[in-house]
Amino acid sequence: MRVTWSGGELTFRLDPEDEITGKAADEHPVKLATNTCTISGVPADAHPDLYAVAAWTVVAPWTRRKVTFDRAVSAEVAAALHDGWGVEAGPVGAEPRSAGGTLAISYSGGADSVAASAVYPDAPFVHFRRVPHARVPNRWPHYRSDVLAKLAKRTGRDLTVVESDLEFTLAEPRPGYPEHHAVAAGALLLADRMDLGGLAFGYELGSRWLGGDRYLLRYTPDNPMWAPHGAWGRLFAAVGVHIVLPVGGVSEAVTMRLALNSDLKDQVRWCLRGTDGPCRTCGKCLYKELIQAAVERRPIDTPITADRPVARKWLQPPPFGGQEMIEYGLARVPGIEQSLFAKAIDHFDATEESTSWLDHCYPPAIDEIPPRWRDEAAAFLTSNVGLMTEREIRRVETWGS
Ligand SMILES: [Zn+2]
């Protein structure tokens, strides 16, 4: 893989051994659509290691053995790429970048991200906004990135919006981040200007520790994407931008509760479709409604009926992505047996007692936060959430086994 930056425009060329369909860090196959993308509003003189890592968040899935950058990188970054991915990176010859003093939040506006913001009320936001690509047709026009950017502005936080078409480098499964970390490409290029030493993400317990979403569905202390000792954690650390997961120890029930109780509650938006509010008809809205109903202890309120395609997966047997939250919802939502989740109840033996661990914080997640930002998170989580008991900790550590 050969990588060139011209201002904020990234161009990459595959070497003969590279492949059009590669795999992201979570093993998900991703197919390349085009070899250019642009990140706007970023400085022209960022540290060469920042250019390298920002590019790697895009090109990693398609790179097999070697990555050649257009400017020399530090030996530290080359080593992190070698140890994490087995690729030869070069040329080598730059001094490493030292970590800055500021923690910024990679802010999406969803409940998890708002909860992370509540932990650090003074942290500035960097918001990634999707814009169309000049040469790739937009097959997903209902994605309202303009609405999300507007809501981010209304938070009143120190906000930098980074506009990028990098999601269109992906042909399949659909436009999206080639690696989850590509959401941070703009923040990485801004790291010198913002004096960044850390970047906080809203990844919660399921994503960090339970192998959630499209990943493994079992306890994953060595998660390659989000563990500080994983490949990505070490690569970000090598450029002095530590990955910080303020809500990595709590479930989506807790992030939902924290978000709805936060100063930013009017700006929370997890749906990418609605303009005046969530669309209420997509799969994500349905999943989040189950969690919100459980948190608010009320019946589920949705226009979706069991015959809709979006409801189909709940009529099939598990596993489900975010299965711990399904169990949590089934145990707590009044009248769930009359809802479209009725069939799912047969597969679980969930009770309030058996799901209580999802109301507390998994302590090792706090220990992972770099020392500089740990105490603030620990104080917040201890007083607003509470730590798991030994028994609850065992529920995390035996998940999926
Ligand atoms: Zn929706």
Side-chain angles (χ1 to χ4, degrees), residues 184-340:
L188 285 164
L189 295 176
L190 287 159
D192 285 335
R193 193 190 280 176
M194 295 180 72
D195 189 37
L196 296 190
L199 186 62
F201 297 84
Y203 286 99
E204 38 62 62
L205 183 73
S207 299
R208 166 63 189 91
W209 297 95
L210 307 181
D213 199 15
R214 64 189 198 185
Y215 193 46
L216 296 163
L217 305 174
R218 60 175 160 75
Y219 178 59
T220 47
D222 302 326
N223 183 320
M225 293 171 291
W226 306 116
H229 56 276
W232 281 104
R234 282 187 290 159
L235 182 62
F236 271 57
V239 298
V241 181
H242 293 271
I243 290 176
V244 179
L245 304 184
V247 292
V250 301
S251 74
E252 289 181 86
V254 172
T255 58
M256 176 73 77
R257 182 167 63 73
L258 293 174
L260 297 176
N261 289 332
S262 97
D263 294 345
L264 307 184
K265 62 176 182 298
D266 295 333
Q267 286 87 45
V268 181
R269 181 72 60 83
W270 47 76
C271 174
L272 308 178
R273 296 165 185 249
T275 48
D276 301 328
C279 79
R280 303 184 73 232
T281 57
C282 73
K284 193 160 186 194
C285 279
L286 178 60
Y287 175 73
K288 290 289 186 181
E289 168 59 15
L290 177 70
I291 298 171
Q292 189 172 352
V295 168
E296 295 178 346
R297 299 263 176 189
R298 57 163 174 80
I300 193 163
D301 175 16
T302 174
I304 301 171
T305 48
D307 57 340
R308 303 297 306 156
V310 60
R312 198 172 298 144
K313 79 168 158 181
W314 308 113
L315 307 175
Q316 311 290 324
F320 306 125
Q323 184 163 307
E324 74 281 7
M325 295 320 305
I326 304 304
E327 293 192 32
Y328 184 91
L330 295 179
R332 275 151 223 265
V333 172
I336 193 75
E337 60 285 349
Q338 273 105 53
S339 77
L340 60 90

Side-chain angles (χ1 to χ4, degrees), residues 147-168:
V147 173
L148 297 179
K150 229 174 261 162
L151 286 168
K153 269 190 202 104
R154 280 195 214 132
T155 61
R157 288 274 186 118
D158 178 337
L159 170 72
T160 306
V161 177
V162 173
E163 297 191 340
S164 179
D165 57 8
L166 71 81
E167 292 173 277
F168 293 97

